[in-house]
Amino acid sequence: MARGEGDGRPTAVEKRRIYVAFFVIAFAIDLGVGLVRYGTYAPTLIGLAIMITSALFLVYSLIRDR
């Protein structure tokens, strides 16, 4: 049995989907807030932190899976 297939833990592919989803959601919220406040994209500190963290987790997951 492969890891994550019956023990309730997510597989590597599912984890990567979550990382991408977090990145996209953080970017969309950041973009929306920036457009409403400033009329252009102006990233917030928390939005950048979430996007960078999710990107790093995604890259680490890809490297670890090889």
Side-chain angles (χ1 to χ4, degrees), residues 12 16 59-66:
R16 286 188 209 118
V59 170
Y60 177 71
S61 174
L62 288 171
I63 291 171
R64 188 173 173 203
D65 211 26
R66 286 186 177 217

Side-chain angles (χ1 to χ4, degrees), residues 6-66:
D7 55 2
R9 293 174 17 193
T11 62
V13 174
E14 291 170 338
K15 287 181 183 179
R16 286 188 209 118
R17 286 183 186 146
I18 292 170
Y19 301 149
V20 171
F22 275 118
F23 182 89
V24 170
I25 291 168
F27 179 73
I29 291 172
D30 228 16
L31 181 64
V33 168
L35 289 176
V36 168
R37 283 190 183 171
Y38 308 111
T40 184
Y41 176 64
T44 61
L45 184 61
I46 189 74
L48 279 177
I50 293 170
M51 287 186 280
I52 291 169
T53 303
S54 64
L56 288 174
F57 273 114
L58 178 67
V59 170
Y60 177 71
S61 174
L62 288 171
I63 291 171
R64 188 173 173 203
D65 211 26
R66 286 186 177 217

